[in-house]
Amino acid sequence: DAGITQSPRHKVTETGTPVTLRCHQTENHRYMYWYRQDPGHGLRLIHYSYGVKDTDKGEVSDGYSVSRSKTEDFLLTLESATSSQTSVYFCAIRDRTGTYEQYFGPGTRLTVT
Amino acid sequence: TQLLEQSPQFLSIQEGENLTVYCNSSSVFSSLQWYRQEPGEGPVLLVTVVTGGEVKKLKRLTFQFGDARKDSSLHITAAQPGDTGLYLCAGAGWDAGNMLTFGGGTRLMVKP
């Protein structure tokens, strides 16, 4: 199994509060991704990183920001959580090879009340 | 925007039956992957297909990449309860940079 952990695994927060989710890898992979998974929508890319301090937006980036100050850590921040951000969030990693295979963490279930 | 459509969305079968899941697009992909996801866990990579017409086998699972690299199928022979889960296909486009496009998934339940 790829060495990816996510924390916290579960979180309940109130509307308007900031929330930060952490993804940590031990594989030294260059690429890291944040997805959200919702019924009827599958996996949708929020943001991704292609190196330390190098990030780009995905298809559903509004309301989210990311940071990557070290190769092993990729943080996803909800500046002011809304109920529409209730979801399961997955982090994934990929190495530099050309087949785009991604390896996923166990997920964080976030509930915004 | 590249889209991947999976069918069927839901499938409930008895142990021992065969099934096929389809993943279709109007876009051409450089490679396509299949993942399986169990409740409460992240998706796990099953296979990557790269060449048009390629067929890969993983025990009772057979994966095929379409000749035109726009579609793929997953066939399971003699399904078992342990095959239950959400099956996701994901394609890497030629101009998609570092991103994958995921299909909506097929939720399979195999009853004993």
Side-chain angles (χ1 to χ4, degrees):
Chain A
D1 290 343
I4 313 169
T5 56
Q6 293 184 232
S7 59
R9 293 294 313 279
H10 302 270
K11 186 169 181 69
V12 179
T13 192
E14 293 184 349
T15 298
T17 59
V19 176
T20 295
L21 309 183
R22 180 181 182 236
C23 177
H24 178 78
Q25 61 147 330
T26 58
E27 306 296 319
N28 201 36
H29 282 354
R30 177 180 178 184
Y31 299 96
M32 299 185 76
Y33 304 81
W34 276 108
Y35 293 90
R36 60 179 289 174
Q37 187 174 38
D38 306 287
H41 290 279
L43 278 165
R44 292 182 292 174
L45 181 65
I46 304 171
H47 282 280
Y48 71 98
S49 170
Y50 47 96
V52 173
K53 296 191 174 148
D54 292 323
T55 64
D56 206 349
K57 296 179 179 180
E59 78 176 283
V60 290
S61 59
D62 287 348
Y64 302 95
S65 63
V66 290
S67 66
R68 191 168 177 201
S69 59
K70 299 184 289 185
T71 299
E72 57 266 36
D73 290 326
F74 192 31
L75 304 180
L76 176 70
T77 298
L78 291 66
E79 301 290 347
S80 178
T82 67
S83 58
S84 65
Q85 293 176 312
T86 292
S87 186
V88 181
Y89 291 86
F90 288 100
C91 175
I93 63 175
R94 176 171 80 84
D95 66 17
R96 297 171 64 105
T97 62
T99 55
Y100 294 88
E101 297 171 348
Q102 294 185 14
Y103 299 90
F104 286 80
T108 294
R109 182 173 293 278
L110 176 66
T111 302
V112 183
T113 62
Chain B
T1 302
Q2 298 175 310
L3 294 175
L4 269 171
E5 294 189 2
Q6 284 188 241
S7 61
Q9 287 186 288
F10 302 97
L11 194 54
S12 180
I13 61 172
Q14 293 295 134
E15 182 176 1
E17 293 183 11
N18 301 332
L19 67 115
T20 301
V21 175
Y22 299 93
C23 178
N24 295 296
S25 177
S26 58
S27 301
V28 177
F29 294 99
S30 63
S31 66
L32 194 138
Q33 294 146 32
W34 285 92
Y35 295 82
R36 180 168 69 207
Q37 184 179 17
E38 299 190 20
E41 299 181 7
V44 175
L45 180 69
L46 295 174
V47 77
T48 299
V49 285
V50 179
T51 306
E54 181 176 6
V55 176
K56 281 193 174 179
K57 293 191 175 184
L58 187 65
K59 296 183 180 178
R60 293 174 294 98
L61 279 60
T62 302
F63 305 85
Q64 184 163 8
F65 202 11
D67 291 341
R69 308 168 83 135
K70 295 182 179 181
D71 54 85
S72 182
S73 63
L74 158 60
H75 182 78
I76 301 179
T77 303
Q80 299 178 0
D83 296 326
T84 293
L86 178 67
Y87 288 82
L88 296 160
C89 64
W94 295 105
D95 59 352
N98 299 299
M99 295 182 282
L100 289 177
T101 298
F102 279 85
T106 294
R107 192 165 296 280
L108 171 66
M109 177 174 288
V110 182
K111 294 181 271 189

